[in-house]
Amino acid sequence: MDMKKRIHLELRNQTPPDVKELVLDNCRSNDGKIEGLTEEFVNLEFLSLINVGLLSVSNLPKLPKLKKLELSDNRISGGLDVLAEKLPNLTHLNLSGNKLNDIDILEPLKKLDSLKSLDLFNCEVTNLNDYRECVFTLLPQLTYLDGYDQEDKEASDSDAEVDGFDEEDEEGEEGQWSAALNTQSASWTSFPH
């Protein structure tokens, strides 16, 4: 499904200003760009664009209340300078699984004063010597990098929560489904054939 259609479906008879959370994971973007998302989404706090084929965030609209942005498993290799201008209140940014291969690419994130958590799992940049030290030096406002602080302490559950959006809830639901499926398949296999 393309991104514009998905946004239309996700609105569910709401107007864009009513929407606080928008999940567009696994839909397709044409030309590797964000489509159908406009500045009308003034109250959007959580945006998830996981695995949508993005090459760039250059045409991201201004979203002044956005706090959490999920961009993992795309093909973004730079152009992060627009984030500070368009998402001034961003606190959590997930860029895992993108084509980020150099610390310098992250430099524009210095302008995101509210940024507390940055995830770069499965990006080439994580293979560089002293990667964590370099990122924490470059981005002193960060509390967590890849889920851990400078002393390698894992983020607590309360730190993972962003104004009512709790990452643990999502994982918990998946875990419950998985457990339910395992229980169901176990009961099927114990049935006499």
Side-chain angles (χ1 to χ4, degrees):
M1 177 178 302
D2 82 4
M3 200 174 286
K4 285 182 184 174
K5 278 186 191 166
R6 179 75 173 272
I7 289 172
H8 181 72
L9 288 173
E10 290 290 325
L11 282 175
R12 295 186 191 100
N13 300 322
Q14 300 177 83
T15 63
D18 296 332
V19 178
K20 289 189 174 189
E21 180 177 354
L22 194 55
V23 177
L24 304 173
D25 300 350
N26 302 311
C27 64
R28 284 293 128 220
S29 65
N30 291 323
D31 300 324
K33 292 183 178 173
I34 298 166
E35 298 176 307
L37 191 63
T38 65
E39 291 187 7
E40 293 176 279
F41 287 86
V42 291
N43 293 308
L44 198 61
E45 294 176 15
F46 174 85
L47 176 61
S48 187
L49 293 163
I50 297 172
N51 188 33
V52 296
L54 288 183
L55 297 170
S56 166
V57 289
S58 61
N59 67 329
L60 192 68
K62 189 166 180 61
L63 300 168
K65 292 191 176 177
L66 197 75
K67 292 188 168 130
K68 187 169 181 183
L69 179 60
E70 294 280 345
L71 293 171
S72 56
D73 300 324
N74 283 290
R75 296 175 295 171
I76 298 165
S77 59
L80 302 177
D81 47 320
V82 302
L83 295 179
E85 174 194 332
K86 297 186 177 183
L87 311 174
N89 293 304
L90 198 64
T91 59
H92 289 67
L93 177 60
N94 188 340
L95 288 165
S96 300
N98 277 284
K99 307 283 183 203
L100 305 170
N101 59 10
D102 192 75
I103 296 287
D104 294 342
I105 292 169
L106 305 174
E107 180 122 6
L109 302 181
K110 286 201 292 196
K111 295 177 184 166
L112 286 167
D113 297 332
S114 301
L115 190 65
K116 298 289 172 235
S117 177
L118 176 64
D119 286 311
L120 297 168
F121 291 111
N122 295 324
C123 290
E124 286 178 45
V125 70
T126 61
N127 298 324
L128 299 174
N129 288 337
D130 301 324
Y131 148 74
R132 289 180 56 76
E133 187 181 315
C134 290
V135 174
F136 276 119
T137 301
L138 179 68
L139 307 172
Q141 78 274 34
L142 272 190
T143 305
Y144 298 102
L145 176 61
D146 302 330
Y148 291 86
D149 68 11
Q150 287 188 46
E151 281 78 46
D152 283 334
K153 289 189 184 121
E154 194 168 3
S156 70
D157 290 350
S158 61
D159 288 326
E161 189 172 319
V162 182
D163 290 348
F165 298 114
D166 190 347
E167 294 171 355
E168 299 299 317
D169 285 348
E170 293 170 23
E171 290 168 12
E173 288 171 19
E174 287 172 16
Q176 290 169 355
W177 274 105
S178 178
L181 288 173
N182 288 340
T183 304
Q184 187 63 46
S185 64
S187 65
W188 286 332
T189 54
S190 62
F191 237 12
H193 293 285

